[in-house]
Amino acid sequence: SDGRGIFRVYSPEMGSKIRRYHYLLEELRLAMASQNFHLSFQPIVRVEDCSIDYFECLLRWNHPIEGSISPAEFIPIAEESNLILELGNWILFEACRQMSAWHAAGMNKVRMSINISGVQLKHLPLHSWVMDTLNKVGLPPRALLLEITESCFIDASEDVTNNLQKLRDEGVQIAIDDFGTGFSSLSTLANLPVDVIKIDRLFIDQANINPKYQKILNSISELGKNLDLKIVAEGVELASQFQLVKKLGIHCVQGYLISRPETSHQVGANVISKNLG
Ligand code: C2E
Ligand code: CA
Ligand code: CA
Ligand code: CA
């Protein structure tokens, strides 16, 4: 109480959250300067034969004191501060450069997928940004996929969807990420420039516990197939989940059952040396 009837609402927890936020923001700025980031890659495989369709590029931050900090914690801070724009430039360039090297090493049917944040959609001239990077690196557009969350799609302006459409015309593919969590009307699927639906992990997680989730999973899968979209199930950890996905006719899976995200060196050793993909 400040006296004279004035009270302030404050909890120690609030203070520590705000402190953590400012601490991470400062550390992020330092990390950008000192190159404390690297990329990890997780394969998305076809259900029919477990061959690799593409790799999802996932950002990793190795903090000198704290060790690995989850992107689920620091990406929102990078977004709020617009640091994601500079970081995102590096991610796109580095991921494309890596894919180009893997193509040259013989893994030339595999694509690279990159997470694009809503802040990037809003602030970047998407078509020229992506095409310039592809040209610089010498990677063909068909080797690239962009993952955009369902909730960002809903907010996308006409200018953004036009840019995405132009990229699709060049051969870049577009995926809706975390599908089923963003409250979009299903009819918007008809109008979005999209090739791939990634069904959120929540549905796979719950399918074996709650049969209703299985039915929703089935419906999303049927709907997607009717619209000629490729369906990917995220977060497959168990053999029983893989069997379910297979039964539902879902095209591709991603998850710890197949592989955890790996460094480029691990991918190179596992995939290229065995001549997979
Ligand atoms: P996301 O795009 O949905 O990425 C999938 C997340 O699920 C990754 O977490 C991945 O490691 C995790 N995952 C994969 N298979 C399994 C599984 O079988 N079980 C479980 N429990 N988890 C699995 P990660 O790497 O911690 O990334 C979290 C989120 O951070 C991503 O969710 C994405 O939204 C964001 N993110 C990561 N890297 C980037 C990036 O380069 N740019 C942007 N804008 N966002 C990124
Ligand atoms: Ca993703
Ligand atoms: Ca996802
Ligand atoms: Ca997610």
Side-chain angles (χ1 to χ4, degrees):
S1 168
D2 280 359
R4 282 177 295 150
I6 297 169
F7 294 88
R8 296 177 197 272
V9 180
Y10 178 84
S11 72
E13 200 180 297
M14 248 166 77
S16 65
K17 263 196 194 140
I18 294 167
R19 269 200 302 278
R20 175 85 178 157
Y21 179 93
H22 286 288
Y23 167 70
L24 286 180
L25 181 56
E26 223 22 70
E27 292 298 301
L28 265 176
R29 292 213 170 93
L30 290 173
M32 308 250 299
S34 57
Q35 300 276 319
N36 274 330
F37 298 102
H38 71 272
L39 300 179
S40 69
F41 305 94
Q42 188 179 28
I44 285 76
V45 304
R46 298 178 187 90
V47 170
E48 48 178 21
D49 58 2
C50 283
S51 60
I52 298 173
D53 185 26
Y54 66 92
F55 285 97
E56 179 173 5
C57 167
L58 294 161
L59 186 61
R60 294 290 174 259
W61 178 14
N62 204 354
H63 188 274
I65 297 162
E66 305 222 0
S68 174
I69 300 177
S70 164
E73 184 175 17
F74 73 79
I75 293 279
I77 299 174
E79 287 176 339
E80 257 176 76
S81 57
N82 281 352
L83 282 176
I84 192 72
L85 295 173
E86 193 184 333
L87 199 52
N89 283 341
W90 177 79
I91 296 167
L92 179 67
F93 181 85
E94 194 51 29
C96 290
R97 194 201 53 75
Q98 182 60 69
M99 198 69 248
S100 175
W102 283 339
H103 274 199
M107 192 164 52
N108 50 23
K109 292 206 176 66
V110 177
R111 288 168 299 146
M112 180 65 82
S113 182
I114 290 162
N115 291 290
I116 303 293
S117 120
V119 177
Q120 291 171 294
L121 292 183
K122 205 169 146 197
H123 290 285
L124 295 173
L126 221 55
H127 176 264
S128 56
W129 176 60
V130 171
M131 291 309 295
D132 288 353
T133 307
L134 286 171
N135 289 334
K136 233 184 267 169
V137 171
L139 190 69
R142 60 171 168 76
L144 185 67
L145 208 139
L146 304 179
E147 296 193 6
I148 298 166
T149 62
E150 190 185 12
S151 38
C152 288
F153 255 124
I154 300 164
D155 296 337
S157 65
E158 200 181 316
D159 181 52
V160 168
T161 41
N162 287 342
N163 267 275
L164 291 174
Q165 186 54 54
K166 276 204 295 184
L167 283 172
R168 278 185 84 207
D169 295 341
E170 308 266 7
V172 175
Q173 292 201 304
I174 313 290
I176 305 189
D177 204 356
D178 300 350
F179 187 81
T181 60
F183 309 107
S184 71
S185 143
L186 288 179
S187 69
T188 57
L189 270 183
N191 305 313
L192 292 175
V194 160
D195 307 278
V196 179
I197 289 183
K198 296 189 80 178
I199 304 175
D200 194 75
R201 194 164 81 222
L202 169 81
F203 294 92
I204 302 298
D205 235 26
Q206 294 293 316
N208 287 335
I209 306 162
N210 181 345
K212 283 190 184 164
Y213 276 92
Q214 226 181 89
K215 291 197 174 143
I216 297 174
L217 206 52
N218 189 26
S219 303
I220 297 176
S221 156
E222 285 305 314
L223 176 73
K225 281 187 277 186
N226 283 334
L227 293 171
D228 286 325
L229 299 170
K230 183 184 283 184
I231 318 293
V232 179
E234 295 188 321
V236 172
E237 296 180 356
L238 308 168
S240 61
Q241 293 170 331
F242 186 87
Q243 288 312 321
L244 172 66
V245 160
K246 193 169 181 174
K247 192 180 88 186
L248 296 178
I250 287 172
H251 305 117
C252 294
V253 297
Q254 173 178 17
Y256 297 164
L257 179 71
I258 310 295
S259 168
R260 296 213 167 227
E262 294 184 314
T263 65
S264 59
H265 298 289
Q266 289 167 319
V267 171
N270 292 341
V271 180
I272 294 176
S273 64
K274 286 183 204 146
N275 231 341
L276 301 171

